Amino acid sequence: RGAGRGKPPPPPPGPKTVTPAAAGVAVTATPCPQRCRRAGTLQSNFCGSDFVLTGTVKSVSRGPPQERGWAVVSILGLYKSGGLAVPQPAKGATLRLQLPCRLCPGLKKGSSYILMGRVGADGGALLPPDAFVVPYRQQQQQVLGNLSKRPCRGNP
């Protein structure tokens, strides 16, 4: 049958660096980590994030490896906007989040999360691989409300 026992073909080159596509968005190339990891707590990540919101994932588009993915989220609560253009009232509004790394953070359609991310150069929402993203539980609403009332100066 002609199928020899030679070496298997080399794997396709992985996404070592991401070059901004024709989208014109100036985002620094972030290599995707081997494993998705989350560091810190709600409190330790709140002030360091540009925006903090709770939302339910309506759709996720991962696309080919060389392109960024997107997630569309229905906002449940907005605790910090950081210059993000969000319609008022925020509750119920949809927001498109850019995912520079296809696998991190891992988001599932229909699930609700606390999302702490960055505002991109174009003013859009950006969830880098090291963004603080955790499943949302109703009990966390009070903690987020309290954090949003405290001023962020230097250390939280």
Side-chain angles (χ1 to χ4, degrees):
R1 283 191 242 188
R5 293 186 178 177
K7 294 180 187 175
K16 292 178 180 131
T17 57
V18 179
T19 55
V25 179
V27 176
T28 56
T30 307
C32 295
Q34 291 290 337
R35 294 182 61 205
C36 301
R37 293 192 183 151
R38 178 181 68 241
T41 63
L42 286 177
Q43 292 86 348
S44 67
N45 282 280
F46 191 91
C47 286
S49 299
D50 292 342
F51 68 86
V52 178
L53 60 89
T54 54
T56 302
V57 177
K58 295 299 179 192
S59 65
V60 179
S61 170
R62 300 269 179 211
Q66 68 275 14
E67 293 181 18
R68 295 183 187 98
W70 297 92
V72 176
V73 174
S74 175
I75 298 173
L76 298 172
L78 181 65
Y79 301 93
K80 183 178 176 185
S81 63
L84 199 59
V86 179
Q88 294 299 325
K91 186 172 182 166
T94 57
L95 183 64
R96 190 173 183 202
L97 303 164
Q98 188 181 117
L99 308 171
C101 198
R102 289 169 16 102
L103 302 175
C104 298
L107 300 174
K108 281 197 269 184
K109 183 179 175 181
S111 296
S112 296
Y113 298 94
I114 296 174
L115 304 157
M116 298 187 184
R118 301 258 167 243
V119 176
D122 62 349
L126 180 68
L127 276 183
D130 60 347
F132 189 82
V133 176
V134 292
Y136 173 62
R137 295 190 316 271
Q138 189 68 32
Q139 307 92 295
Q140 295 163 317
Q141 185 173 347
Q142 184 176 358
V143 174
L144 289 167
N146 290 339
L147 288 171
S148 68
K149 292 173 189 166
R150 291 193 337 206
C152 289
R153 287 191 201 110
N155 294 327

